[in-house]
Amino acid sequence: VRVKEYGKASIEVQDNGDGIHESNFEAITKKHYTSKLEAFEDLESVATFGFRGEALSSLCAVSDVVITTCDNDDGVGFKLTYDHEGSVKHKERCASDRGTTVSISNLFATLPVRLQEFHRNAKREYGKMLSLIQAYCLVRSDVAFRCTHQANANTKSKTDAVRTKGKLALKQAITQLFGSKQMSSLVEIVQVPSSDDPTDDATLDD
């Protein structure tokens, strides 16, 4: 995740997944669209991250959206520019690693009042975003996450706001996110299977 000026300039999210096939370019930013479900039962087996169509549709409505994606290992993908209706207005070939990058800029430009509110509270909203990313880091400690922030969009200087290496145990992820001192102050809670006999859950001392 790459953030510039607390999201006021741009926000970019990149993954190293399977990319998006060209046949789906027109549909991914439409409402109620997802390529992950073909039947109701598929809801029980969704096991991957990904960019949901409903979210992309909403982003197109309130910002300028550019998607770069590659579904092969040849190093050649597509750069797609979408309009506010979620339709592709420009498509071109580009160099790209396998995976997908979604970039948004001019967030809330179509909603002047909301834009003013966002700019006034950008740092607070940025803090909420970091908290969400940290939560993902803990839920999926096996996945590597990195979020960088560029305070000034006109410079190349950026800092790591959140970073984990992936393939970690939960305790290791907590240490990477919050430090060893915070980890040492935590108390582990172990869930013990309950017995069918309710009296087994209570102990009485003489």
Side-chain angles (χ1 to χ4, degrees):
V1 181
R2 303 180 187 92
V3 183
K4 293 183 180 180
E5 295 183 4
Y6 304 98
K8 292 185 292 183
S10 66
I11 301 173
E12 184 174 287
V13 180
Q14 179 180 9
D15 71 16
N16 62 344
D18 294 330
I20 302 170
H21 191 270
E22 187 174 359
S23 62
N24 290 320
F25 288 171
E26 289 287 347
I28 55 175
T29 51
K30 301 300 184 183
K31 291 184 177 180
H32 316 306
Y33 176 87
T34 175
S35 61
K36 295 180 181 292
L37 305 175
E38 295 183 0
F40 184 81
E41 291 73 22
D42 292 342
L43 287 170
E44 299 178 356
S45 59
V46 175
T48 60
F49 294 124
F51 300 104
R52 299 297 197 268
E54 195 72 11
L56 290 175
S57 174
S58 299
L59 287 172
C60 285
V62 299
S63 65
D64 297 331
V65 175
V66 176
I67 297 178
T68 304
T69 188
C70 177
D71 65 349
N72 58 70
D73 294 320
D74 298 332
V76 179
F78 286 93
K79 182 178 181 180
L80 312 166
T81 303
Y82 289 85
D83 62 22
H84 293 311
E85 301 297 325
S87 299
V88 178
K89 65 178 183 180
H90 184 69
K91 178 176 72 173
E92 63 179 326
R93 289 276 189 177
C94 67
S96 175
D97 294 329
R98 179 185 284 269
T100 302
T101 301
V102 175
S103 303
I104 67 169
S105 56
N106 299 318
L107 182 58
F108 298 124
T110 59
L111 303 171
V113 176
R114 185 65 182 88
L115 176 65
Q116 291 181 3
E117 179 72 13
F118 173 58
H119 280 201
R120 186 163 52 245
N121 299 291
K123 290 185 179 181
R124 185 178 66 185
E125 297 301 323
Y126 172 71
K128 292 180 181 179
M129 184 186 68
L130 293 184
S131 296
L132 179 62
I133 295 173
Q134 288 172 338
Y136 275 119
C137 291
L138 296 178
V139 172
R140 291 298 305 268
S141 58
D142 57 314
V143 176
F145 289 85
R146 184 183 184 188
C147 176
T148 63
H149 181 239
Q150 196 170 325
N152 188 335
N154 296 320
T155 67
K156 294 184 179 181
S157 176
K158 60 184 179 181
T159 57
D160 279 339
V162 176
R163 187 168 190 175
T164 60
K165 296 180 179 179
K167 298 181 180 179
L168 300 173
L170 178 58
K171 290 182 179 180
Q172 293 174 309
I174 294 173
T175 300
Q176 282 198 1
L177 288 171
F178 306 110
S180 56
K181 184 177 181 180
Q182 184 71 30
M183 179 65 224
S184 64
S185 68
L186 300 179
V187 177
E188 183 174 4
I189 299 176
V190 180
Q191 183 177 3
V192 179
S194 61
S195 169
D196 292 335
D197 185 352
T199 60
D200 289 344
D201 293 333
T203 55
L204 298 176
D205 296 328
D206 293 334

